[in-house]
Amino acid sequence: MPTTAIASAEVIVTSPGRNFVTLQITTDDGVVGLGDATLNGRELAVAVYLADHVIPLLKGRDAMDIEDTWQYLYRGAYWRRGPVTMAAIAAVDMALWDIKAKVAELPLYQLLGGRSRTGALAYAHASGRDTEELFDSIREHLDLGYRAIRVQTGVPGLDSVYGVAASAGDGAEEGDRYDYEPARRGAGGRARPVEETWDTRAYLRHVPSVFEAVRSEFGAELPLLHDAHHRLTPREAAQLGRSLEPYDLFWLEDCTPAEDPTALRYVRDHTTVPLAIGEVFNSIHDYQTLITERLVDYVRSAVTHTGGITHLKKLADFAAIYGIKTGFHGPTDVSPVGQAAHLHLDLALHNFGIQEHMRHSEATLEVFRTSFRFEDGRLHPGERMGLGVEIDRDAAREHAYDPAYLPVNRLADGTVHDW
Ligand code: GCO
Ligand code: MG
């Protein structure tokens, strides 16, 4: 047996402000690796999949054989893809890369090709129920040092809209009205999805005027992004894209439901707005048409939901052939372990585009001790060996799992719509 044989693996579920599932793998000679397995609102499904079906297969395998382990868990299960399976494989993969880099005594990015840049341009989420609140939020993020801003806005006539932070006392986590966190927790398993009401025409009428106001207040230079959260038909998305062209967006994200790649052919034919998609994808195959037909400009996967570092690196390399860049999904439901994995890739990949950055709460960062840092609008994974994240098990134990659901969306007549 090599000393890098896997001696044990365990699943850690903790809820420091929000739920996280982490896999910890330990080798015979005591090297510990961490992997993120958090699937927002469906956390325990991945925890059970890992505990019942994956961990029993890991013991005794050489932790160094990352590609073989990936293929064994993917092809060996017969049932392929799906967010639960791919999050479980991702967690194993991340933990094994963490171990390999620690054995090599290097920060992970060195094993991925080394530095391609000094840091990863990060974008923050600014939002407001009206223009005044939005401007305050943009200013606050600029003061924090961000050089790229995602703009989400309330819509007249709609009570709550995706991406717009609740005000303090209105359900906002830790009293921060800019800390947008849609998943609602409920003690003791009583959580139910919040239901929101949606009106596409009201949204399409309002959004261009907001971008016009933001451009005239903050100037032409600032990169601006917007997320339509899969809510539009191809024709509506084309209309939105065209109406936003004068405001020179960095990207329009998830304009149509992601499972239909042909929808983006229509959008592409009608607007030059840069397009990003992929946060709900879990396989490179989900991108095949989008990449080979150059229907998107940025791939948006999260390492946690797309099979880990091994698979994400292949996706990025595939995209690179077509001149498509990365913009990995970095909301707070990707744990600091997953976000660290993004940052190592961001530093190393030639076709890095931008990195989403939602700040984790203080409580989260007390459980997950990270080495990454944010300076001058850029993120850097730090120089600690491996991924650079340690988990404080005692702190983790203090936060019991608390079920949470993402909201459900309905039209005015009650029809369920994409959230
Ligand atoms: C983003 C996403 C998130 C998701 C969330 C779901 O662009 O960051 O759209 O806001 O809604 O990650 O779990
Ligand atoms: Mg999104």
Side-chain angles (χ1 to χ4, degrees), residues 5 58 78 84 150 157 172 186 210 290 340 344 351 379 386:
L58 295 178
Y78 185 65
V84 174
R150 186 183 93 155
V210 171
L290 299 176
H344 287 278
N351 59 327
L379 284 160

Side-chain angles (χ1 to χ4, degrees), residues 39-52:
L39 184 61
N40 200 5
R42 296 291 183 271
E43 297 86 3
L44 297 186
V46 190
V48 167
Y49 188 90
L50 279 165
D52 289 355

Side-chain angles (χ1 to χ4, degrees), residues 40 123 125 150 162 180 182 227 229 253-254 279 300 329 331 333 356 358 406 419:
N40 200 5
Y123 74 88
H125 290 197
R150 186 183 93 155
Y162 163 77
Y180 172 67
D227 189 346
H229 232 238
E253 174 183 341
D254 290 345
E279 67 182 46
R300 280 279 293 145
H329 186 212
D333 47 286
E356 182 179 17
M358 274 178 90
L406 288 163
W419 175 72

